[in-house]
Amino acid sequence: MDIAHPYLMFLGDVHDQLAAKTAHGIVDWRREWCLGQTRLPGCQADLGLPEMTIAEGVAAGAKTLIVGVANAGGVLPAHWVATIVQAIEAGLNVASGLHVRLGQIPEIREAAAHNGVQLFDVRHNDQTFATGKGSKRSGLRLLTVGTDCSSGKKYTALALERAMRARGLDADFRATGQTGVFISGHGVAIDAVVADFISGAVEWLAPAAAPGHWDLIEGQGSLFHPSFAGVSLGLLHGAQPDAFVVCHEPTRRTMRGVTHALPTIAEVIELTVRCGRLTNPAIRPVGIAINTKALGEAEARALLAELAHEHGLPATDPVRYGVDVLVDRLLADFPESGRV
């Protein structure tokens, strides 16, 4: 996909910041592409971008309206359609990471055809995937895993790519979700792949590589989440990771969208190793990434120190403190890591 930017970010009327995580991710990692935001009455998410109408966004030079939200089931609310059609009639392309295809909605399909604009459904592609084989392939791979969904897996992988490249390592971020695809320009929205082909899609995304090359694979869901564990397991088998980082949000008590209790970090490490050994017997944890946004400075540092001591692994907040300690551990555990 070649999605034209600058972007005008559309947030609809979502009820919290987390529901706009797609838009937040794009702003955090591609701020220079984002001109402004447009919202409906009652929206509780704010990207900190200039507020713009569709007309103002077009006048400012926007090329694409990004439907920057994520919701259960990936549906497009009916009362958002009028705004999207308005954007199309103003000449904007539209890109969405929702499960529903934009072209499946008659008003949007007809408006796009009439106005000659493009519709991008980032979760869908025409690539055909084989079933996973689990055969050993060259190169090194790291997978981010979590105690829950929306726990920092994408941010950790992107932060690792940036830090590793800055230190001369050969490393690439591999996107497996719609936001990651918007940010990197390529990838596979793995939760939209037919179940039998999930592991094969990840093998395609992170194929055999040079011996010292790192593929940093964005994790999805959690092996413990009753809604998303199937995707997480297929991703784990296909990634065949040599290393993994556990991502965690310490203030949660139940997993997002369900009433099940959050697993412990130790439980995630144990199950990830047990399941991951199917395709890589040498899989190992190399660190812990904690979202400490809700904690004060002293509390955050104390928690990281406690977790590092408890698990014998470096622990950090990738946004607040960077990921150098994780890169140090990778270099210590994998001295064969290549340099550009």
Side-chain angles (χ1 to χ4, degrees), residues 68-321:
V69 302
N71 56 36
V75 299
L76 181 68
H79 63 286
W80 293 8
V81 172
T83 301
I84 294 173
V85 169
Q86 181 187 359
I88 291 170
E89 291 175 343
L92 292 178
N93 301 311
V94 181
S96 168
L98 297 171
H99 282 294
V100 64
R101 290 179 183 267
L102 292 166
Q104 290 177 337
I105 300 169
E107 301 96 316
I108 293 175
R109 180 179 65 247
E110 292 164 10
H114 180 73
N115 291 276
V117 306
Q118 292 182 282
L119 302 177
F120 297 96
D121 293 297
V122 177
R123 260 199 168 102
H124 302 274
N125 62 70
D126 298 324
Q127 177 70 36
T128 299
F129 302 111
T131 56
K133 300 301 184 288
S135 302
K136 176 65 177 175
R137 57 196 195 273
S138 58
L140 295 166
R141 288 163 200 86
L142 179 145
L143 176 67
T144 52
V145 303
T147 55
D148 192 10
C149 55
S150 303
S151 57
K153 296 180 286 292
K154 173 179 68 270
Y155 274 55
T156 299
L158 283 163
L160 280 167
E161 179 193 54
R162 179 180 289 172
M164 291 170 75
R165 287 182 172 182
R167 291 168 70 165
L169 299 175
D170 184 11
D172 288 313
F173 170 74
R174 300 300 184 188
T176 63
Q178 73 274 15
T179 310
V181 175
F182 277 127
I183 292 168
S184 68
H186 62 274
V188 180
I190 210 70
D191 61 359
V193 175
V194 174
D196 277 0
F197 304 100
I198 290 175
S199 60
V202 183
E203 290 180 358
W204 173 86
L205 180 65
H213 173 82
W214 279 100
D215 275 337
L216 307 169
I217 302 169
E218 175 192 9
Q220 296 293 329
S222 170
L223 288 174
F224 288 84
H225 200 294
S227 304
F228 311 119
V231 172
S232 305
L233 183 60
L235 205 162
L236 175 61
H237 288 161
Q240 200 178 88
D242 300 278
F244 66 91
V245 173
V246 180
C247 303
H248 176 62
E249 208 289 353
T251 67
R252 295 185 197 170
R253 295 297 173 262
T254 60
M255 287 181 280
R256 187 163 172 81
V258 296
T259 59
H260 293 67
L262 216 68
T264 66
I265 291 171
E267 287 172 332
V268 171
I269 291 173
E270 189 275 332
L271 188 59
T272 300
V273 170
R274 182 148 48 94
C275 294
R277 281 176 176 162
L278 177 69
T279 56
N280 188 345
I283 185 174
R284 70 182 78 169
V286 293
I288 301 168
I290 304 295
N291 179 351
T292 65
K293 184 177 181 179
L295 306 180
E297 180 69 15
E299 188 180 9
R301 290 193 177 277
L303 176 62
L304 294 174
E306 176 187 339
L307 292 174
H309 176 75
E310 178 182 353
H311 299 285
L313 296 168
T316 187
D317 181 327
V319 175
R320 198 170 188 172
Y321 304 121

